[in-house]
Amino acid sequence: MEPLVAQHEVTKLIPQRHPILLVDQLLSYTKEEAVSGFHISSDHIFVDKNGFLTESGLIENIAQTTAMHQGYEYYIKGVPAPEGYIGSIRKLRIIELPPVNTTLKTRITIVSEILGVTIISGQVLYNGKEIAHGEMRLVQVK
């Protein structure tokens, strides 16, 4: 699958920067959902001493995929991406931590959007298998 937005352009969609960047491709986009890709390098700040992406890294990956979804509309209009934060996390289940030198695919689906608050359902896949899922509320601040 050819990405809609490649690694060198991702920072045009989201406010996060190295070393906490946890998405490196926008693989698909619709008004209701997005799929991101992320290759886990061994020197990433969210990789533990055993060579696995941490739980915090998986949570932030879902949040950044949501930011990427929101930022893509701004990107195609030539406007800077909005900033925001995680308001809450619900029903989070982490099944497995992915190892370094692998690529994640993360799908978020918009459940609702109102007054700058977006509720999403997110799912992280590694080798085609679900390794994490949950719901988040994300709040835009600008």
Side-chain angles (χ1 to χ4, degrees):
M1 176 184 299
E2 188 68 29
L4 295 173
V5 177
Q7 186 172 11
H8 68 281
E9 293 188 304
V10 165
T11 56
K12 294 178 182 177
L13 306 184
I14 63 175
Q16 291 82 2
R17 300 291 182 261
H18 179 77
I20 63 165
L21 198 59
L22 283 150
V23 292
D24 54 23
Q25 295 180 339
L26 177 60
L27 299 172
S28 70
Y29 169 88
T30 69
K31 196 101 170 121
E32 297 80 29
E33 73 176 34
V35 177
S36 72
F38 176 63
H39 181 77
I40 306 167
S41 63
S42 60
D43 62 346
H44 197 279
I45 192 168
F46 283 105
V47 168
D48 68 20
K49 65 181 178 177
N50 297 314
F52 291 89
L53 187 67
T54 63
E55 292 89 346
S56 298
L58 286 171
I59 292 166
E60 185 62 22
N61 170 261
I62 295 169
Q64 288 184 25
T65 300
T66 304
M68 183 180 277
H69 177 270
Q70 294 171 332
Y72 187 67
E73 284 188 26
Y74 291 85
Y75 171 76
I76 57 179
K77 293 176 186 174
V79 179
E83 294 182 13
Y85 60 90
I86 299 170
S88 68
I89 300 169
R90 295 187 37 188
K91 301 178 184 178
L92 178 66
R93 179 157 184 243
I94 296 176
I95 301 157
E96 181 180 334
L97 296 177
V100 298
N101 298 318
T102 60
T103 300
L104 301 179
K105 275 183 141 177
T106 303
R107 177 181 311 277
I108 62 98
T109 303
I110 305 298
V111 175
S112 69
E113 290 181 289
I114 186 164
L115 301 172
V117 176
T118 303
I119 300 172
I120 64 97
S121 174
Q123 175 188 47
V124 183
L125 303 171
Y126 156 63
N127 278 345
K129 180 175 83 171
E130 181 181 82
I131 61 167
H133 65 264
E135 296 176 4
M136 287 186 187
R137 277 189 170 83
L138 295 112
V139 182
Q140 275 188 8
V141 293
K142 93 174 191 184

